Amino acid sequence: MSDVILQLDSISKKFDGKDILKDFNLELHRNEFVTLLGPSGCGKSTTLRIIGGFVKPDSGRVLFDGTDITNLPPEKRNVNTVFQKYSLFPHMTVAENIAFGLKLKKKSSKYIADKIDYALKLVNMEGYGGRNPESLSGGQQQRVAIARAIVNEPEILLLDEPLGALDLKLRHDMQRELIKIKKEVGITFLYVTHDQEEALMMSDRILVMNKGIIQQEGSSKSIYDEPQNAFVADFIGESNIIDGIMVKDLLVKIQGVDIPCVDTGFGTNTPVDVVIRPEDLEVVSKEEGFLKGTVTSVIFKGAYYEIKVLSDGYEWMIQSVNPAPVGEVVGLTVLPDNIQIMHKPASDDEEVVRDE
Ligand SMILES: Nc1ncnc2c1ncn2[C@@H]1O[C@H](COP(=O)(O)OP(=O)(O)OP(=O)(O)O)[C@@H](O)[C@H]1O
Ligand SMILES: [Mg+2]
């Protein structure tokens, strides 16, 4: 059996004459937790709907275990979806909601009762079977929605911003819980979010999407540490992104100052985007720094200080465990390893998107 459970092969979809997905390719491996991450309107839900069978692509194929299922109706696909808004049936109890799909499949009442017990335990909702959905909190309703999907034993679970309607604290609890559930049930998860922190925390693999195109794909760590373009860098956490000139291998000019870096292969005197994460910049005395600037603000953020330093018209953001004196001229340093050099976007499209 191949490790690839689902494949989107060159999918294109237009709405109202506008390209939403164009030549879109995706492979899901068995038991993976993959996240589609991207801004609103980039085509994440459309991708899930195509996999679920609710939207038909204009061209391209959906392959499940190597079989073409592009024209198969949703109920014939071994895939279940959990949506952002808890879509529980309001006139049924929690247990009846969970049993719904199993009854359609004509499972025995013993089988159904066992499954309900198992699923409620899995989502930490033991004893809630007799309750009505409207008597539950948002987080509890979403747990039931997940339980209802899981009892059908789908091979792939599609989750479209399932925690989007929850407050931050509950979101964090549910993130941990979903990881636990994923480990326990051993199915493939395709998760959609526009919350980068959530994606970084939960996923085996992340696909960063913009305008229906995958910008970068990889592990949380590789995407965070090695963004391939300014869009990804900007979208994944706060970053300093500034114009630079790659003078030659291992040397980049930023704000007129030559600074050692570790990148090669950009040629000589090539305009580039330079990305430096706030936690990688260090405030030092003005004599010691590569760059000099004035501290414009210092805000304590709980675990660190967020310091802004204005230098040559650019406001650098720095995260540091030490505060800095507002109004004072300071120096900034960065280790060569922590400077990311990226090609300038090839098309105007990418540039526009970056400013959104
Ligand atoms: N049925 C439809 N008819 C017309 N346009 C649609 C339809 N469904 C989606 N679109 C458009 O396609 C684009 C992508 O929508 P999609 O729902 O896939 O985005 P998304 O990435 O899920 O965004 P969000 O994060 O806001 O949920 C949007 O511009 C949307 O307006
Ligand atoms: Mg969506």
Side-chain angles (χ1 to χ4, degrees):
M1 204 160 40
S2 154
D3 185 40
V4 175
I5 185 163
L6 185 107
Q7 198 183 347
L8 295 184
D9 175 26
S10 196
I11 296 280
S12 295
K13 180 70 192 172
K14 282 182 202 270
F15 281 124
D16 306 327
K18 211 178 135 220
D19 285 324
I20 304 301
L21 296 175
K22 206 172 171 189
D23 268 334
F24 189 87
N25 295 296
L26 168 75
E27 272 187 1
L28 291 184
H29 301 263
R30 232 167 269 283
N31 287 338
E32 243 189 332
F33 194 125
V34 176
T35 298
L36 287 179
L37 172 67
S40 187
C42 76
K44 303 181 297 295
S45 294
T46 303
T47 305
L48 288 202
R49 287 190 196 114
I50 287 172
I51 295 172
F54 305 104
V55 165
K56 243 186 142 69
D58 300 333
S59 62
R61 298 182 309 158
V62 183
L63 302 172
F64 191 97
D65 263 342
T67 307
D68 190 337
I69 60 159
T70 318
N71 295 312
L72 217 57
E75 66 276 10
K76 295 248 168 75
R77 302 185 180 202
N78 212 350
V79 165
N80 265 126
T81 311
V82 176
F83 298 96
Q84 171 171 359
K85 284 284 176 55
Y86 353 100
S87 42
L88 300 177
F89 306 116
H91 53 284
M92 293 183 192
T93 64
V94 165
E96 285 164 352
N97 263 281
I98 296 173
F100 186 78
L102 301 174
K103 280 191 179 148
L104 286 182
K105 288 187 195 155
K106 307 241 182 315
K107 298 287 187 188
S108 74
S109 37
K110 166 85 171 77
Y111 178 93
I112 294 177
D114 285 351
K115 277 284 177 187
I116 292 171
D117 281 352
Y118 162 77
L120 285 177
K121 203 182 241 167
L122 187 70
V123 299
N124 243 332
M125 293 278 291
E126 273 173 297
Y128 283 83
R131 295 274 288 268
N132 285 315
E134 68 266 23
S135 75
L136 303 177
S137 72
Q140 290 169 335
Q141 289 186 42
Q142 208 54 331
R143 282 161 204 257
V144 175
I146 291 164
R148 188 177 59 177
I150 278 173
V151 291
N152 293 311
E153 299 180 347
E155 286 187 74
I156 304 176
L157 189 61
L158 306 174
L159 299 125
D160 195 350
E161 311 223 22
L163 312 182
L166 308 180
D167 67 42
L168 195 65
K169 166 82 175 66
L170 198 51
R171 244 184 124 102
H172 286 160
D173 291 348
M174 286 292 288
Q175 286 165 2
R176 275 187 286 277
E177 207 135 316
L178 268 175
I179 294 170
K180 200 193 87 191
I181 292 170
K182 161 76 182 60
K183 284 201 179 117
E184 212 150 309
V185 295
I187 53 182
T188 307
F189 276 42
L190 181 58
Y191 194 88
V192 159
T193 183
H194 55 246
D195 178 338
Q196 46 275 40
E197 225 183 287
E198 185 163 293
L200 290 170
M201 169 181 167
M202 300 179 76
S203 323
D204 297 324
R205 191 155 58 96
I206 298 176
L207 308 177
V208 184
M209 239 176 122
N210 192 27
K211 297 201 166 174
I213 294 168
I214 292 176
Q215 303 281 326
Q216 187 170 351
E217 128 171 38
S219 67
S220 301
K221 187 163 165 36
S222 73
I223 288 200
Y224 189 86
D225 289 347
E226 311 274 341
Q228 275 164 20
N229 59 36
F231 172 80
V232 176
D234 204 17
F235 197 71
I236 301 278
E238 293 171 298
S239 252
N240 297 288
I241 303 177
I242 189 168
D243 291 331
I245 307 253
M246 203 63 191
V247 180
K248 55 179 185 179
D249 282 355
L250 308 178
L251 199 64
V252 62
K253 194 187 284 291
I254 306 171
Q255 299 188 326
V257 181
D258 288 345
I259 302 180
C261 63
V262 295
D263 295 77
T264 57
F266 286 82
T268 55
N269 295 320
T270 311
V272 289
D273 282 323
V274 180
V275 175
I276 306 177
R277 299 254 174 229
E279 64 270 28
D280 292 331
L281 275 170
E282 201 185 340
V283 177
V284 292
S285 72
K286 61 176 184 279
E287 292 77 23
E288 286 173 286
F290 287 120
L291 305 167
K292 269 194 278 300
T294 307
V295 178
T296 53
S297 87
V298 178
I299 300 167
F300 185 57
K301 291 274 186 164
Y304 58 86
Y305 292 91
E306 184 182 281
I307 302 167
K308 293 201 170 146
V309 172
L310 186 64
S311 159
D312 200 9
Y314 184 82
E315 193 160 61
W316 294 93
M317 192 194 310
I318 300 119
Q319 288 170 1
S320 168
V321 290
N322 301 310
V326 175
E328 197 150 302
V329 176
V330 296
L332 294 178
T333 59
V334 56
L335 294 172
D337 216 15
N338 289 329
I339 299 176
Q340 308 281 334
I341 308 289
M342 289 175 301
H343 289 286
K344 287 270 181 196
S347 69
D348 288 352
D349 230 20
E350 251 183 293
E351 187 76 89
V352 171
V353 166
R354 192 182 140 187
D355 293 330
E356 265 172 14

